[in-house]
Amino acid sequence: MEPSVQFSHAHFPVRSLGYGRRVGIWLQGCGLRCAGCIVPQTWQAGPQHRVAVRDLVARLEPWLERCDGVTLSGGEPFDQPEALRLLLPALRARVRGDIWAYTGHPWSHVTQFPEILAWLDGVITEPFRADLPSDHP
């Protein structure tokens, strides 16, 4: 079977998940299910969300050539470590800017994947907390 990823959707340009005009990639599937999550539709994974890594990268290629960076979100990216091990090098080969990931897992969990962290320039960790005040849009 061809290497694949559970994929929800992508947008370009995204200006709120890092510097500049970014490709935002939302992966599908989340075991954390944080209260107040703004994308609960990304929680449930299934075969209908499976996309070959090479097909996803090819679909994003026109955006990757023009972006300032890529941000992975979800769902929960670190619920798919095998997919990240394949997706991140493919993105890195095509992106001039940085690559970030948002995860609801604590840093102590994320550090169990040094081979994934090696491909990322930034990781935003910890569960989403709707009760914490923010002045960011």
Side-chain angles (χ1 to χ4, degrees):
M1 179 176 207
E2 187 170 2
S4 63
V5 61
Q6 291 278 336
F7 171 72
S8 176
H9 59 282
H11 292 288
F12 177 77
V14 174
R15 298 180 187 272
S16 60
L17 298 175
Y19 168 79
R21 294 166 23 110
R22 307 186 72 73
V23 174
I25 303 171
W26 282 262
L27 299 182
Q28 188 71 27
C30 180
L32 298 175
R33 300 179 180 213
C34 301
C37 175
I38 63 168
V39 285
Q41 67 272 22
T42 64
W43 290 356
Q44 192 64 41
Q48 70 275 23
H49 300 289
R50 194 155 291 286
V51 175
V53 169
R54 102 179 127 79
D55 291 345
L56 176 58
V57 172
R59 194 156 68 180
L60 299 174
E61 190 88 41
W63 293 346
L64 297 173
E65 294 170 357
R66 302 182 338 218
C67 73
D68 295 311
V70 171
T71 299
L72 297 171
S73 191
E76 174 48 59
F78 281 85
D79 281 2
Q80 301 185 62
E82 293 303 319
L84 289 181
R85 287 183 184 103
L86 300 169
L87 179 60
L88 289 169
L91 292 173
R92 175 63 67 201
R94 291 162 178 82
V95 174
R96 291 185 305 270
D98 55 21
I99 301 176
W100 289 21
Y102 280 78
T103 176
H105 288 291
W107 180 247
S108 60
H109 175 81
V110 173
T111 57
Q112 296 175 42
F113 303 100
E115 70 287 0
I116 292 172
L117 293 175
W119 294 105
L120 293 168
D121 298 297
V123 182
I124 313 312
T125 63
E126 304 303 322
F128 173 73
R129 296 265 316 270
D131 61 316
L132 294 178
S134 174
D135 60 0
H136 299 288

